[in-house]
Amino acid sequence: MIAIIDYGMGNLHSVSSAVERLGYAYRITSDEKELFEADGAILPGVGAFGDAMEHLREAKLDDAVKRYAESGKPLLGICLGMQLLFSSDEEHGHHEGLGLLPGRVVRFTGDYKVPHMGWNKLSFRQPSPLFRDLEEGHVYFVHSYHALCRSRRPICWRRRIITNR
């Protein structure tokens, strides 16, 4: 069973529909006991980093997510949920994250429009069980921030925490 963590800032319907379509049993939960009973967990997220961390703390899920990740079970952060796994974020000021991945989330800079919106080619740089049956191709992006890993690698891995970019 997959736990989809509900802390009040995730697109729970879209994530649960995707998990269901893949044929996995899931439970949307904000209960720590149910989280630890799961074989894997998804931390979704939509919105601003600071607000999301506040919601996680208020729901008493920040420490639970950290302990879950340390248990060795797989944890997938999607969109803002992936950003929350990092040490800090600079959206609307400086905010501390969960600190599960070394690095920070920063705003895109350069000679292109931010927020970055549009079709871009997706290419896989590291093997992942998430991409096993997927082909590289074009996907639609809407984002203004990216993870800057301390290791300077485009995708960070630590234990069995899987992140998207």
Side-chain angles (χ1 to χ4, degrees), residues 2 29 34 63-64 67 69 71 74 77-78 101 103 127 149 156 162 165:
I2 305 295
T29 186
E34 289 180 352
D63 287 333
R67 286 192 316 278
S71 77
I78 299 177
L101 296 172
C149 304
C156 296
I162 302 171
R165 183 173 174 190

Side-chain angles (χ1 to χ4, degrees), residues 99-147:
L100 295 169
L101 296 172
R104 65 190 201 282
V105 177
V106 298
R107 187 171 174 83
F108 279 113
T109 59
D111 295 331
Y112 43 85
K113 186 179 174 193
V114 177
H116 174 238
M117 297 170 63
W119 290 95
N120 290 273
K121 186 171 186 333
L122 179 66
S123 57
F124 307 132
R125 295 185 178 186
Q126 292 180 344
S128 167
L130 294 175
F131 308 141
R132 179 181 37 225
D133 297 325
L134 297 178
E135 294 180 22
E136 293 183 355
H138 283 80
V139 294
Y140 194 81
F141 286 90
V142 179
H143 53 186
S144 300
Y145 294 84
H146 68 97

Side-chain angles (χ1 to χ4, degrees), residues 51-64:
D51 293 339
M53 280 304 301
E54 186 175 325
H55 277 90
L56 271 172
R57 283 190 291 272
E58 287 174 359
K60 307 229 185 300
L61 288 169
D62 54 334
D63 287 333

Side-chain angles (χ1 to χ4, degrees), residues 3-79:
I4 301 171
I5 302 168
D6 180 7
Y7 60 101
M9 300 250 336
N11 190 341
L12 303 174
H13 177 72
S14 293
V15 173
S16 63
S17 293
V19 172
E20 185 174 319
R21 183 175 177 152
L22 292 170
Y24 292 98
Y26 69 89
R27 176 172 288 144
I28 296 172
T29 186
S30 58
D31 182 80
E32 184 175 340
K33 183 176 182 269
E34 289 180 352
L35 172 62
F36 281 90
E37 290 171 353
D39 300 311
I42 298 174
L43 181 64
V46 176
F49 190 100
D51 293 339
M53 280 304 301
E54 186 175 325
H55 277 90
L56 271 172
R57 283 190 291 272
E58 287 174 359
K60 307 229 185 300
L61 288 169
D62 54 334
D63 287 333
V65 170
K66 289 178 190 179
R67 286 192 316 278
Y68 184 86
E70 294 298 324
S71 77
K73 291 182 180 181
L75 171 65
L76 171 65
I78 299 177
C79 197

Side-chain angles (χ1 to χ4, degrees), residues 88-105:
S88 66
D89 174 273
E90 68 176 29
E91 182 180 10
H92 306 298
H94 178 82
H95 304 280
E96 294 298 316
L98 293 170
L100 295 169
L101 296 172
R104 65 190 201 282
V105 177

